[in-house]
mmCIF file of all heavy atoms in Angstrom:
data_model
loop_
_atom_site.group_PDB
_atom_site.id
_atom_site.type_symbol
_atom_site.label_atom_id
_atom_site.label_comp_id
_atom_site.label_asym_id
_atom_site.label_seq_id
_atom_site.Cartn_x
_atom_site.Cartn_y
_atom_site.Cartn_z
ATOM 1 N N MET A 1 -7.541 1.420 -14.244
ATOM 2 C CA MET A 1 -6.144 1.149 -13.957
ATOM 3 C C MET A 1 -5.429 2.387 -13.423
ATOM 4 O O MET A 1 -4.630 2.320 -12.479
ATOM 5 C CB MET A 1 -5.441 0.653 -15.218
ATOM 6 C CG MET A 1 -5.689 -0.817 -15.529
ATOM 7 S SD MET A 1 -5.043 -1.911 -14.255
ATOM 8 C CE MET A 1 -3.297 -1.577 -14.384
ATOM 9 N N VAL A 2 -5.740 3.544 -13.994
ATOM 10 C CA VAL A 2 -5.148 4.796 -13.515
ATOM 11 C C VAL A 2 -5.613 5.091 -12.085
ATOM 12 O O VAL A 2 -4.822 5.507 -11.232
ATOM 13 C CB VAL A 2 -5.518 5.955 -14.461
ATOM 14 C CG1 VAL A 2 -5.030 7.290 -13.884
ATOM 15 C CG2 VAL A 2 -4.918 5.730 -15.835
ATOM 16 N N ALA A 3 -6.894 4.833 -11.836
ATOM 17 C CA ALA A 3 -7.418 5.049 -10.477
ATOM 18 C C ALA A 3 -6.758 4.103 -9.489
ATOM 19 O O ALA A 3 -6.452 4.504 -8.340
ATOM 20 C CB ALA A 3 -8.928 4.854 -10.480
ATOM 21 N N ASN A 4 -6.512 2.858 -9.904
ATOM 22 C CA ASN A 4 -5.835 1.905 -9.025
ATOM 23 C C ASN A 4 -4.427 2.364 -8.680
ATOM 24 O O ASN A 4 -3.972 2.208 -7.537
ATOM 25 C CB ASN A 4 -5.779 0.524 -9.687
ATOM 26 C CG ASN A 4 -7.124 -0.187 -9.673
ATOM 27 O OD1 ASN A 4 -8.044 0.216 -8.980
ATOM 28 N ND2 ASN A 4 -7.238 -1.248 -10.460
ATOM 29 N N THR A 5 -3.741 2.958 -9.653
ATOM 30 C CA THR A 5 -2.388 3.464 -9.413
ATOM 31 C C THR A 5 -2.410 4.555 -8.366
ATOM 32 O O THR A 5 -1.530 4.624 -7.476
ATOM 33 C CB THR A 5 -1.770 3.998 -10.715
ATOM 34 O OG1 THR A 5 -1.755 2.938 -11.694
ATOM 35 C CG2 THR A 5 -0.349 4.492 -10.488
ATOM 36 N N GLN A 6 -3.378 5.437 -8.442
ATOM 37 C CA GLN A 6 -3.491 6.498 -7.441
ATOM 38 C C GLN A 6 -3.771 5.922 -6.048
ATOM 39 O O GLN A 6 -3.213 6.374 -5.037
ATOM 40 C CB GLN A 6 -4.592 7.476 -7.853
ATOM 41 C CG GLN A 6 -4.289 8.241 -9.142
ATOM 42 C CD GLN A 6 -5.432 9.118 -9.575
ATOM 43 O OE1 GLN A 6 -6.537 9.038 -9.035
ATOM 44 N NE2 GLN A 6 -5.174 9.972 -10.559
ATOM 45 N N LYS A 7 -4.634 4.904 -6.001
ATOM 46 C CA LYS A 7 -4.949 4.287 -4.711
ATOM 47 C C LYS A 7 -3.725 3.555 -4.153
ATOM 48 O O LYS A 7 -3.536 3.505 -2.924
ATOM 49 C CB LYS A 7 -6.118 3.313 -4.869
ATOM 50 C CG LYS A 7 -7.451 3.992 -5.148
ATOM 51 C CD LYS A 7 -8.619 3.054 -4.982
ATOM 52 C CE LYS A 7 -8.617 1.921 -5.982
ATOM 53 N NZ LYS A 7 -9.814 1.050 -5.852
ATOM 54 N N GLU A 8 -2.889 3.002 -5.031
ATOM 55 C CA GLU A 8 -1.681 2.328 -4.574
ATOM 56 C C GLU A 8 -0.744 3.299 -3.894
ATOM 57 O O GLU A 8 -0.128 2.976 -2.860
ATOM 58 C CB GLU A 8 -0.991 1.652 -5.769
ATOM 59 C CG GLU A 8 -1.732 0.418 -6.273
ATOM 60 C CD GLU A 8 -1.210 -0.062 -7.611
ATOM 61 O OE1 GLU A 8 -0.294 0.591 -8.169
ATOM 62 O OE2 GLU A 8 -1.698 -1.085 -8.107
ATOM 63 N N ASN A 9 -0.605 4.493 -4.436
ATOM 64 C CA ASN A 9 0.256 5.512 -3.812
ATOM 65 C C ASN A 9 -0.259 5.905 -2.434
ATOM 66 O O ASN A 9 0.517 6.071 -1.482
ATOM 67 C CB ASN A 9 0.352 6.741 -4.715
ATOM 68 C CG ASN A 9 1.033 6.448 -6.036
ATOM 69 O OD1 ASN A 9 1.899 5.562 -6.112
ATOM 70 N ND2 ASN A 9 0.680 7.192 -7.074
ATOM 71 N N GLU A 10 -1.578 6.052 -2.321
ATOM 72 C CA GLU A 10 -2.164 6.393 -1.026
ATOM 73 C C GLU A 10 -1.989 5.247 -0.030
ATOM 74 O O GLU A 10 -1.671 5.467 1.143
ATOM 75 C CB GLU A 10 -3.647 6.708 -1.200
ATOM 76 C CG GLU A 10 -3.910 7.946 -2.074
ATOM 77 C CD GLU A 10 -5.390 8.133 -2.372
ATOM 78 O OE1 GLU A 10 -6.180 7.269 -1.919
ATOM 79 O OE2 GLU A 10 -5.735 9.103 -3.065
ATOM 80 N N ALA A 11 -2.182 4.009 -0.514
ATOM 81 C CA ALA A 11 -2.055 2.852 0.360
ATOM 82 C C ALA A 11 -0.628 2.700 0.864
ATOM 83 O O ALA A 11 -0.385 2.280 2.006
ATOM 84 C CB ALA A 11 -2.485 1.587 -0.377
ATOM 85 N N LYS A 12 0.336 3.052 0.024
ATOM 86 C CA LYS A 12 1.742 2.945 0.433
ATOM 87 C C LYS A 12 2.042 3.890 1.598
ATOM 88 O O LYS A 12 2.726 3.514 2.559
ATOM 89 C CB LYS A 12 2.649 3.249 -0.758
ATOM 90 C CG LYS A 12 4.115 2.950 -0.502
ATOM 91 C CD LYS A 12 4.928 3.064 -1.779
ATOM 92 C CE LYS A 12 6.371 2.643 -1.520
ATOM 93 N NZ LYS A 12 7.184 2.701 -2.755
ATOM 94 N N GLU A 13 1.529 5.114 1.521
ATOM 95 C CA GLU A 13 1.770 6.067 2.602
ATOM 96 C C GLU A 13 1.131 5.606 3.911
ATOM 97 O O GLU A 13 1.726 5.722 4.984
ATOM 98 C CB GLU A 13 1.191 7.426 2.200
ATOM 99 C CG GLU A 13 1.917 8.096 1.027
ATOM 100 C CD GLU A 13 1.324 9.442 0.686
ATOM 101 O OE1 GLU A 13 0.374 9.865 1.398
ATOM 102 O OE2 GLU A 13 1.790 10.058 -0.288
ATOM 103 N N ILE A 14 -0.079 5.060 3.805
ATOM 104 C CA ILE A 14 -0.756 4.570 5.014
ATOM 105 C C ILE A 14 0.010 3.406 5.632
ATOM 106 O O ILE A 14 0.201 3.328 6.854
ATOM 107 C CB ILE A 14 -2.199 4.155 4.675
ATOM 108 C CG1 ILE A 14 -3.022 5.378 4.251
ATOM 109 C CG2 ILE A 14 -2.860 3.454 5.865
ATOM 110 C CD1 ILE A 14 -4.410 5.046 3.756
ATOM 111 N N CYS A 15 0.446 2.486 4.779
ATOM 112 C CA CYS A 15 1.165 1.313 5.281
ATOM 113 C C CYS A 15 2.485 1.701 5.937
ATOM 114 O O CYS A 15 2.873 1.131 6.962
ATOM 115 C CB CYS A 15 1.415 0.324 4.137
ATOM 116 S SG CYS A 15 2.130 -1.247 4.674
ATOM 117 N N LEU A 16 3.193 2.669 5.367
ATOM 118 C CA LEU A 16 4.444 3.113 5.967
ATOM 119 C C LEU A 16 4.220 3.651 7.383
ATOM 120 O O LEU A 16 5.011 3.387 8.300
ATOM 121 C CB LEU A 16 5.076 4.202 5.091
ATOM 122 C CG LEU A 16 5.720 3.726 3.786
ATOM 123 C CD1 LEU A 16 6.128 4.927 2.922
ATOM 124 C CD2 LEU A 16 6.933 2.839 4.068
ATOM 125 N N LYS A 17 3.124 4.383 7.579
ATOM 126 C CA LYS A 17 2.811 4.909 8.898
ATOM 127 C C LYS A 17 2.475 3.780 9.865
ATOM 128 O O LYS A 17 2.904 3.793 11.032
ATOM 129 C CB LYS A 17 1.645 5.886 8.805
ATOM 130 C CG LYS A 17 1.963 7.172 8.045
ATOM 131 C CD LYS A 17 0.751 8.074 7.983
ATOM 132 C CE LYS A 17 1.059 9.356 7.208
ATOM 133 N NZ LYS A 17 -0.134 10.244 7.105
ATOM 134 N N LYS A 18 1.732 2.785 9.381
ATOM 135 C CA LYS A 18 1.374 1.656 10.248
ATOM 136 C C LYS A 18 2.604 0.832 10.641
ATOM 137 O O LYS A 18 2.702 0.349 11.779
ATOM 138 C CB LYS A 18 0.355 0.753 9.527
ATOM 139 C CG LYS A 18 -0.986 1.414 9.260
ATOM 140 C CD LYS A 18 -1.735 1.709 10.562
ATOM 141 C CE LYS A 18 -3.108 2.301 10.274
ATOM 142 N NZ LYS A 18 -3.828 2.608 11.533
ATOM 143 N N ILE A 19 3.527 0.662 9.688
ATOM 144 C CA ILE A 19 4.752 -0.077 10.003
ATOM 145 C C ILE A 19 5.552 0.646 11.088
ATOM 146 O O ILE A 19 6.093 0.033 12.016
ATOM 147 C CB ILE A 19 5.603 -0.252 8.732
ATOM 148 C CG1 ILE A 19 4.917 -1.222 7.767
ATOM 149 C CG2 ILE A 19 7.003 -0.776 9.075
ATOM 150 C CD1 ILE A 19 5.597 -1.347 6.418
ATOM 151 N N GLU A 20 5.595 1.958 10.981
ATOM 152 C CA GLU A 20 6.317 2.762 11.977
ATOM 153 C C GLU A 20 5.637 2.670 13.338
ATOM 154 O O GLU A 20 6.304 2.591 14.383
ATOM 155 C CB GLU A 20 6.402 4.209 11.511
ATOM 156 C CG GLU A 20 7.255 5.089 12.408
ATOM 157 C CD GLU A 20 7.378 6.501 11.875
ATOM 158 O OE1 GLU A 20 6.863 6.769 10.758
ATOM 159 O OE2 GLU A 20 7.990 7.345 12.581
ATOM 160 N N GLU A 21 4.298 2.686 13.340
ATOM 161 C CA GLU A 21 3.570 2.590 14.606
ATOM 162 C C GLU A 21 3.842 1.252 15.299
ATOM 163 O O GLU A 21 3.992 1.201 16.522
ATOM 164 C CB GLU A 21 2.068 2.749 14.353
ATOM 165 C CG GLU A 21 1.659 4.160 13.948
ATOM 166 C CD GLU A 21 0.174 4.253 13.628
ATOM 167 O OE1 GLU A 21 -0.514 3.227 13.830
ATOM 168 O OE2 GLU A 21 -0.290 5.321 13.190
ATOM 169 N N HIS A 22 3.882 0.186 14.512
ATOM 170 C CA HIS A 22 4.101 -1.150 15.087
ATOM 171 C C HIS A 22 5.583 -1.468 15.274
ATOM 172 O O HIS A 22 5.910 -2.535 15.814
ATOM 173 C CB HIS A 22 3.451 -2.218 14.201
ATOM 174 C CG HIS A 22 1.953 -2.206 14.224
ATOM 175 N ND1 HIS A 22 1.224 -2.853 15.214
ATOM 176 C CD2 HIS A 22 1.044 -1.611 13.392
ATOM 177 C CE1 HIS A 22 -0.078 -2.675 14.975
ATOM 178 N NE2 HIS A 22 -0.208 -1.924 13.892
ATOM 179 N N GLN A 23 6.453 -0.567 14.801
ATOM 180 C CA GLN A 23 7.907 -0.732 14.935
ATOM 181 C C GLN A 23 8.357 -2.100 14.406
ATOM 182 O O GLN A 23 9.088 -2.845 15.071
ATOM 183 C CB GLN A 23 8.328 -0.566 16.392
ATOM 184 C CG GLN A 23 8.038 0.817 16.946
ATOM 185 C CD GLN A 23 8.503 0.986 18.386
ATOM 186 O OE1 GLN A 23 8.870 0.020 19.053
ATOM 187 N NE2 GLN A 23 8.486 2.210 18.889
ATOM 188 N N LEU A 24 7.939 -2.388 13.195
ATOM 189 C CA LEU A 24 8.293 -3.667 12.568
ATOM 190 C C LEU A 24 9.581 -3.518 11.755
ATOM 191 O O LEU A 24 9.753 -2.547 11.028
ATOM 192 C CB LEU A 24 7.156 -4.141 11.653
ATOM 193 C CG LEU A 24 5.852 -4.478 12.369
ATOM 194 C CD1 LEU A 24 4.763 -4.806 11.354
ATOM 195 C CD2 LEU A 24 6.055 -5.654 13.317
ATOM 196 N N PRO A 25 10.485 -4.514 11.834
ATOM 197 C CA PRO A 25 11.749 -4.467 11.086
ATOM 198 C C PRO A 25 11.552 -4.899 9.631
ATOM 199 O O PRO A 25 12.020 -5.976 9.198
ATOM 200 C CB PRO A 25 12.655 -5.439 11.850
ATOM 201 C CG PRO A 25 11.697 -6.463 12.393
ATOM 202 C CD PRO A 25 10.427 -5.705 12.729
ATOM 203 N N MET A 26 10.863 -4.108 8.860
ATOM 204 C CA MET A 26 10.573 -4.451 7.471
ATOM 205 C C MET A 26 10.620 -3.195 6.616
ATOM 206 O O MET A 26 10.413 -2.085 7.107
ATOM 207 C CB MET A 26 9.194 -5.117 7.359
ATOM 208 C CG MET A 26 8.067 -4.279 7.931
ATOM 209 S SD MET A 26 6.505 -5.185 8.117
ATOM 210 C CE MET A 26 6.055 -5.457 6.402
ATOM 211 N N LYS A 27 10.904 -3.376 5.337
ATOM 212 C CA LYS A 27 10.999 -2.271 4.395
ATOM 213 C C LYS A 27 9.934 -2.460 3.316
ATOM 214 O O LYS A 27 9.971 -3.427 2.565
ATOM 215 C CB LYS A 27 12.383 -2.221 3.749
ATOM 216 C CG LYS A 27 12.516 -1.152 2.677
ATOM 217 C CD LYS A 27 13.879 -1.233 1.999
ATOM 218 C CE LYS A 27 13.975 -0.251 0.848
ATOM 219 N NZ LYS A 27 15.289 -0.377 0.135
ATOM 220 N N LEU A 28 8.988 -1.543 3.240
ATOM 221 C CA LEU A 28 7.935 -1.617 2.236
ATOM 222 C C LEU A 28 8.509 -1.239 0.874
ATOM 223 O O LEU A 28 9.131 -0.187 0.716
ATOM 224 C CB LEU A 28 6.782 -0.684 2.600
ATOM 225 C CG LEU A 28 5.565 -0.711 1.676
ATOM 226 C CD1 LEU A 28 4.899 -2.089 1.721
ATOM 227 C CD2 LEU A 28 4.570 0.380 2.071
ATOM 228 N N VAL A 29 8.291 -2.089 -0.116
ATOM 229 C CA VAL A 29 8.848 -1.870 -1.458
ATOM 230 C C VAL A 29 7.793 -1.379 -2.426
ATOM 231 O O VAL A 29 8.004 -0.407 -3.159
ATOM 232 C CB VAL A 29 9.483 -3.176 -1.995
ATOM 233 C CG1 VAL A 29 10.001 -2.965 -3.416
ATOM 234 C CG2 VAL A 29 10.619 -3.616 -1.086
ATOM 235 N N ASP A 30 6.643 -2.029 -2.445
ATOM 236 C CA ASP A 30 5.627 -1.664 -3.433
ATOM 237 C C ASP A 30 4.256 -2.105 -2.947
ATOM 238 O O ASP A 30 4.133 -2.954 -2.052
ATOM 239 C CB ASP A 30 5.931 -2.331 -4.780
ATOM 240 C CG ASP A 30 5.207 -1.666 -5.939
ATOM 241 O OD1 ASP A 30 4.655 -0.566 -5.743
ATOM 242 O OD2 ASP A 30 5.176 -2.247 -7.044
ATOM 243 N N VAL A 31 3.233 -1.496 -3.538
ATOM 244 C CA VAL A 31 1.836 -1.842 -3.238
ATOM 245 C C VAL A 31 1.117 -2.067 -4.561
ATOM 246 O O VAL A 31 1.321 -1.327 -5.522
ATOM 247 C CB VAL A 31 1.134 -0.724 -2.445
ATOM 248 C CG1 VAL A 31 -0.315 -1.111 -2.156
ATOM 249 C CG2 VAL A 31 1.881 -0.423 -1.152
ATOM 250 N N GLU A 32 0.286 -3.092 -4.592
ATOM 251 C CA GLU A 32 -0.421 -3.420 -5.824
ATOM 252 C C GLU A 32 -1.883 -3.741 -5.528
ATOM 253 O O GLU A 32 -2.169 -4.579 -4.663
ATOM 254 C CB GLU A 32 0.245 -4.614 -6.511
ATOM 255 C CG GLU A 32 -0.417 -5.052 -7.800
ATOM 256 C CD GLU A 32 0.199 -6.294 -8.400
ATOM 257 O OE1 GLU A 32 1.136 -6.848 -7.781
ATOM 258 O OE2 GLU A 32 -0.265 -6.734 -9.466
ATOM 259 N N TYR A 33 -2.767 -3.066 -6.239
ATOM 260 C CA TYR A 33 -4.185 -3.387 -6.195
ATOM 261 C C TYR A 33 -4.493 -4.351 -7.336
ATOM 262 O O TYR A 33 -4.001 -4.169 -8.458
ATOM 263 C CB TYR A 33 -5.017 -2.120 -6.407
ATOM 264 C CG TYR A 33 -5.516 -1.460 -5.135
ATOM 265 C CD1 TYR A 33 -4.718 -0.555 -4.449
ATOM 266 C CD2 TYR A 33 -6.789 -1.733 -4.639
ATOM 267 C CE1 TYR A 33 -5.172 0.068 -3.303
ATOM 268 C CE2 TYR A 33 -7.249 -1.109 -3.498
ATOM 269 C CZ TYR A 33 -6.445 -0.220 -2.830
ATOM 270 O OH TYR A 33 -6.901 0.380 -1.686
ATOM 271 N N THR A 34 -5.286 -5.377 -7.058
ATOM 272 C CA THR A 34 -5.773 -6.176 -8.173
ATOM 273 C C THR A 34 -6.755 -5.325 -8.985
ATOM 274 O O THR A 34 -7.306 -4.351 -8.473
ATOM 275 C CB THR A 34 -6.469 -7.449 -7.673
ATOM 276 O OG1 THR A 34 -7.535 -7.085 -6.773
ATOM 277 C CG2 THR A 34 -5.496 -8.358 -6.954
ATOM 278 N N PHE A 35 -6.967 -5.697 -10.242
ATOM 279 C CA PHE A 35 -7.746 -4.843 -11.148
ATOM 280 C C PHE A 35 -9.150 -4.582 -10.615
ATOM 281 O O PHE A 35 -9.659 -3.466 -10.684
ATOM 282 C CB PHE A 35 -7.827 -5.506 -12.523
ATOM 283 C CG PHE A 35 -8.698 -4.779 -13.500
ATOM 284 C CD1 PHE A 35 -8.288 -3.577 -14.053
ATOM 285 C CD2 PHE A 35 -9.936 -5.273 -13.866
ATOM 286 C CE1 PHE A 35 -9.088 -2.882 -14.948
ATOM 287 C CE2 PHE A 35 -10.734 -4.596 -14.760
ATOM 288 C CZ PHE A 35 -10.316 -3.395 -15.303
ATOM 289 N N ASP A 36 -9.781 -5.615 -10.046
ATOM 290 C CA ASP A 36 -11.148 -5.445 -9.554
ATOM 291 C C ASP A 36 -11.184 -4.897 -8.123
ATOM 292 O O ASP A 36 -12.270 -4.751 -7.544
ATOM 293 C CB ASP A 36 -11.919 -6.773 -9.642
ATOM 294 C CG ASP A 36 -11.222 -7.902 -8.910
ATOM 295 O OD1 ASP A 36 -10.192 -7.633 -8.244
ATOM 296 O OD2 ASP A 36 -11.674 -9.053 -9.017
ATOM 297 N N GLY A 37 -10.022 -4.621 -7.532
ATOM 298 C CA GLY A 37 -9.977 -4.045 -6.195
ATOM 299 C C GLY A 37 -10.329 -5.008 -5.075
ATOM 300 O O GLY A 37 -10.556 -4.579 -3.940
ATOM 301 N N SER A 38 -10.325 -6.302 -5.370
ATOM 302 C CA SER A 38 -10.708 -7.282 -4.348
ATOM 303 C C SER A 38 -9.577 -7.605 -3.381
ATOM 304 O O SER A 38 -9.798 -8.229 -2.353
ATOM 305 C CB SER A 38 -11.175 -8.582 -5.021
ATOM 306 O OG SER A 38 -10.125 -9.135 -5.812
ATOM 307 N N LYS A 39 -8.352 -7.183 -3.711
ATOM 308 C CA LYS A 39 -7.217 -7.487 -2.845
ATOM 309 C C LYS A 39 -6.153 -6.397 -3.003
ATOM 310 O O LYS A 39 -5.959 -5.850 -4.098
ATOM 311 C CB LYS A 39 -6.614 -8.850 -3.185
ATOM 312 C CG LYS A 39 -5.418 -9.226 -2.313
ATOM 313 C CD LYS A 39 -4.692 -10.457 -2.835
ATOM 314 C CE LYS A 39 -5.506 -11.714 -2.708
ATOM 315 N NZ LYS A 39 -4.693 -12.912 -3.060
ATOM 316 N N VAL A 40 -5.464 -6.103 -1.892
ATOM 317 C CA VAL A 40 -4.318 -5.205 -1.912
ATOM 318 C C VAL A 40 -3.102 -5.998 -1.464
ATOM 319 O O VAL A 40 -3.128 -6.619 -0.387
ATOM 320 C CB VAL A 40 -4.511 -3.984 -0.992
ATOM 321 C CG1 VAL A 40 -3.383 -2.975 -1.214
ATOM 322 C CG2 VAL A 40 -5.859 -3.336 -1.232
ATOM 323 N N ILE A 41 -2.045 -5.974 -2.264
ATOM 324 C CA ILE A 41 -0.828 -6.742 -1.968
ATOM 325 C C ILE A 41 0.293 -5.771 -1.617
ATOM 326 O O ILE A 41 0.588 -4.859 -2.372
ATOM 327 C CB ILE A 41 -0.412 -7.611 -3.165
ATOM 328 C CG1 ILE A 41 -1.566 -8.514 -3.604
ATOM 329 C CG2 ILE A 41 0.805 -8.456 -2.822
ATOM 330 C CD1 ILE A 41 -1.316 -9.260 -4.889
#
């Protein structure tokens, strides 16, 4: 769970950069990994 939290922080930074690249009118609020890592929301 602690490792997932760290990955969520990294995923948030990556997604923010991708949103800026695509110039999408959206505001990223949060990122969540499922416990088994099968999905990122």
Side-chain angles (χ1 to χ4, degrees):
M1 280 297 296
V2 174
N4 285 347
T5 302
Q6 295 176 349
K7 291 193 295 183
E8 288 168 357
N9 295 331
E10 296 173 359
K12 189 171 185 178
E13 293 181 2
I14 295 174
C15 186
L16 286 172
K17 293 179 181 179
K18 295 294 183 181
I19 291 174
E20 186 177 356
E21 290 177 5
H22 289 276
Q23 298 182 349
L24 295 174
M26 55 192 292
K27 175 185 175 183
L28 183 64
V29 177
D30 198 12
V31 180
E32 180 185 1
Y33 264 85
T34 56
F35 175 72
D36 55 6
S38 60
K39 180 190 292 187
V40 189
I41 305 172

